[in-house]
Amino acid sequence: MKNNGSKILFLNPPSTQQVFRDCYCSDISKGPFFIHPLDLQVQSGWFAQAGYEIEFIDAVIEHADAEEITRRILLLKADVVLSLIGEAVYENDCRFLNELAIQNPNQRLFLTGDIARFEPQKVFDAIPRAEGILMDFTSAGLLQYLEGSTHEHLMTRESNGSAVLKKGSYSHPVASEKFAGTYTYQLPFFRTPRYYSLLSSYGCPFRCAYCNVHQVGYGVRETDSVLEEMRLATRLRFKSLYWRDPTFMVDKKRTFDLFDAWRAERFSFEWIAYTRPDVVDEEIIRRAAEMGCGTLLFGVETYDEKSLKQASREMESEKVRSVFELARKYGVRTASFILVGMTEQIKAESPKFSDMTQYEKRLSTFLDSLDPDYISLNVFHERPGVKANTPILQAMESQREALRVLASRITRRFYLHPRRIARNLVRLLYPKQWGLLLKIVYRLILPAR
Ligand code: SF4
């Protein structure tokens, strides 16, 4: 490919905490897991296609500090930097990026991330040298802006426009091989922990009140574009795939069309995906298992149907239970994602959740009835773009610290249960997982803080 003479650096900035900041969500990782910075990966495709020289630094996975990263950036002499920024470590990110701008005054700086996408003015005020904010990380908005053409997904200080929401179908180029070829990220869900991330859709068609993902719209990526990326992953010798769609397999026909095309190409991956229990049925789970699905990550949230309804997420516990059973029937492992404290009880007992014991018992009984292989207990907070606009969310927001301790206690008890330990011993059959397993055990035996 012809080099157009410009160099762009994709940057996941340094942090003393193990943070992730992509896909408009930032948080501190609960385990020794590293997730690809997907915003940057997707953008690398647009810029590689346009002939830019690509550079990539992920300071988080490298455990590199601000001083070292600044020194390396100065040496790279990139014309443009596209950096992630995250609400979870906002002060840290502002400090680093402002310092970088002082040391490197001729470099143009652009941002992507939750706080930038949902609170652009606040970020422009805090980082005076930021020239623009990418409002849709799958779009060519930044490239179009740099090339002087019309751009609707790149917000600048001068543009007052609001972000354009995604709808219909869309496409973007596959990641730059220079970018994705360096990946060493690992997850414990796979027999071969080194994995590749990709998207088959952007945003979400649902409207859960505690989530910001649907606020970017919803679009589905054209199948040819998805297959092209699977070919790249095959070429780069990845055996494991992580579908990063916020909700995978929403539309049954589209899902089966994708499976058919993927089977025709003879791809062979072990894969995982996030989805909702109420969008899958026996046929989907059976076909997913045939296509190599190893684990489904289900957004379950709670046993309390009333609180789900109030958050615009109607879902019957009985349906949830039956889907976990079906997954077991077809040999697909499951993860249950819970929003800890999501119950009418917390509202009734606000401002102080006085009888957590009762809630803890009910949640543990519910989890036992699902019998997932993994759990992830999350604590609600007003992420950028989200307002605690129901009494339950307000009660959860005001009791975050107590809920965090509770989540930690339930998680330790879950994984240290002899039945789970016995079930996880099978992983010892896969030597590539040993290093990760040791790190997970270390995290679990740390006392709950
Ligand atoms: S289904 Fe998941 S991604 Fe979609 S709005 Fe609800 S919580 Fe967000």
Side-chain angles (χ1 to χ4, degrees), residues 92-307:
N92 166 85
D93 288 353
C94 291
R95 197 168 40 248
F96 172 77
L97 292 167
N98 280 327
E99 184 57 33
L100 180 67
I102 292 169
Q103 298 210 30
N104 218 0
N106 297 322
Q107 199 162 56
R108 300 173 76 178
L109 175 64
F110 297 87
L111 303 170
T112 178
D114 56 1
I115 189 136
R117 170 64 178 70
F118 292 104
E119 299 178 33
Q121 200 49 56
K122 174 174 169 178
V123 172
F124 278 135
D125 291 345
I127 307 179
R129 288 289 314 285
E131 186 175 337
I133 289 172
L134 190 56
M135 304 301 275
D136 172 344
F137 70 80
T138 64
S139 80
L142 174 57
L143 180 64
Q144 289 162 344
Y145 170 79
L146 292 171
E147 298 197 334
S149 21
T150 314
H151 56 90
E152 50 179 8
H153 294 293
L154 196 278
M155 183 171 281
T156 60
R157 287 171 192 278
E158 297 74 36
S159 60
N160 301 316
S162 57
V164 179
L165 299 186
K166 192 76 127 193
K167 59 180 181 195
S169 68
Y170 73 96
S171 168
H172 60 76
V174 301
S176 141
E177 290 206 28
K178 181 172 178 191
F179 188 103
T182 63
Y183 278 175
T184 54
Y185 306 72
Q186 298 194 349
L187 283 176
F189 304 111
F190 303 111
R191 283 191 289 272
T192 305
R194 177 177 170 263
Y195 69 102
Y196 188 81
S197 286
L198 80 172
L199 276 181
S200 81
S201 64
Y202 172 89
C204 186
F206 298 101
R207 292 277 176 277
C208 308
Y210 49 85
C211 175
N212 64 6
V213 173
H214 56 88
Q215 295 182 32
V216 302
Y218 178 59
V220 293
R221 187 175 175 195
E222 287 167 9
T223 301
D224 284 351
S225 173
V226 177
L227 294 176
E228 191 57 39
E229 190 115 33
M230 294 177 86
R231 283 183 211 116
L232 172 71
T234 305
R235 230 171 25 248
L236 294 175
R237 300 180 187 282
F238 287 95
K239 303 254 179 279
S240 309
L241 273 192
Y242 181 2
W243 292 99
R244 300 284 300 280
D245 304 41
T247 312
F248 193 52
M249 305 187 291
V250 168
D251 179 302
K252 193 169 178 176
K253 177 175 179 326
R254 178 174 181 265
T255 302
F256 288 170
D257 287 349
L258 179 62
F259 284 175
D260 289 342
W262 157 358
R263 185 186 294 279
E265 297 251 2
R266 298 175 183 273
F267 292 131
S268 170
F269 293 106
E270 183 186 12
W271 57 274
I272 64 172
Y274 274 107
T275 190
R276 290 174 47 132
D278 54 346
V279 305
V280 298
D281 60 16
E282 179 156 8
E283 195 184 5
I284 294 180
I285 293 179
R286 178 178 58 74
R287 292 203 54 187
E290 286 167 7
M291 301 303 297
C293 177
T295 305
L296 286 173
L297 315 169
F298 287 113
V300 170
E301 319 302 18
T302 178
Y303 56 81
D304 184 339
E305 293 176 10
K306 276 192 188 159
S307 66

